[in-house]
Amino acid sequence: MVEAALSAGVVGRAIEKRLLEVAIHDLRDFTTDRHRSVDDVPYGGGPGMVMKPEPIFRALDAIAARHDAPVTVLLMSPQGTRFTQRDAERLGSLPHVAMLCGRYEGVDERVRSRVDEEVSIGDYVLSGGELPALVVLDAIARRVPGVVGDDQSVAEDSFSRGLLDFPHYTRPAAVGDLRVPDVLLSGNHQEIRRWRKQESLGRTLERRPDLLESAALDDEERELLDRIRNGRL
Ligand code: 4HQ
């Protein structure tokens, strides 16, 4: 699953271009028993299986030995703190990040002694940490200069600005009676910029008012938000 994802799309091309190096480690390669077991029954009983600590410790030791700079270890888990754009920015500035992906009911609690951060991508239960790790990798990778074609679009991305995105349109100007807003066809770039700010703010207020608490708004944006809130826009 991870190999397939890494060979496709924006991240795949970044790895080909060596803008980014990603290694996959199979925990079974760090087992010592005949059956290459990575899981065992839970102490205290109950359903499901638990990931054994030793293969994980050996894998983390092997990863650390590959690098001179520190390796920050993330554990993908619904018990973690919710992953945000800020985390993508922060983790992207670290020399090395290892993402530990559990299956079954999760990892033996003692593994957490080797974990720097526990990361969740949202409040739902998946069957493994691989998809969350790929989500985190993608968010980090697209911020590496050269990975996404247009650096400008990365800088202006929705959450980098702390607001939801404005509506986008492309040709044709009309599909039946569905028309592109006149302002976007006007050629008045000052007006277009203002309209987009207004739409971003309006959508954020409507759908994610929580984001407005921490968004860094400029003077024009504060004025627009005020007018939207007071029904003057
Ligand atoms: N899992 N955000 C259970 C997640 C998850 C999430 C990963 C499923 C760990 C043991 N991880 N395994 N949500 O659902 O990060």
Side-chain angles (χ1 to χ4, degrees), residues 37-43 45-52 102-108:
S37 317
V38 292
D39 62 326
D40 204 341
V41 295
Y43 271 119
M49 298 291 271
V50 177
M51 303 275 297
K52 292 164 64 60
R103 289 252 149 183
Y104 319 108
E105 304 312 305
V107 299
D108 183 290

Side-chain angles (χ1 to χ4, degrees), residues 128-211:
E130 292 84 1
L131 288 172
L134 287 168
V135 165
V136 168
L137 171 62
D138 190 280
I140 294 172
R142 63 193 310 289
R143 299 194 67 270
V144 174
V147 167
V148 171
D150 188 354
D151 286 354
Q152 184 80 359
S153 83
V154 172
E156 288 175 12
D157 253 341
S158 175
F159 286 112
S160 304
R161 297 155 51 246
L163 295 175
L164 297 185
D165 212 352
F166 51 76
H168 299 273
Y169 295 90
T170 187
R171 289 177 288 188
V175 184
D177 58 2
L178 298 175
R179 293 201 43 85
V180 172
D182 284 333
V183 60
L184 297 180
L185 310 177
S186 70
N188 185 335
H189 296 290
Q190 177 83 336
E191 275 303 304
I192 291 168
R193 247 196 347 89
R194 195 173 160 83
W195 179 84
R196 285 177 169 166
K197 275 186 173 178
Q198 183 188 314
E199 292 294 317
S200 274
L201 289 162
R203 275 184 169 187
T204 309
L205 186 63
E206 189 72 23
R207 303 183 193 183
R208 293 294 308 279
D210 58 300
L211 293 178

Side-chain angles (χ1 to χ4, degrees), residues 76-78 102-107 119-129 132:
M76 315 318 294
S77 139
R103 289 252 149 183
Y104 319 108
E105 304 312 305
V107 299
V119 178
S120 168
I121 63 158
D123 296 340
Y124 35 78
V125 182
L126 301 169
S127 19

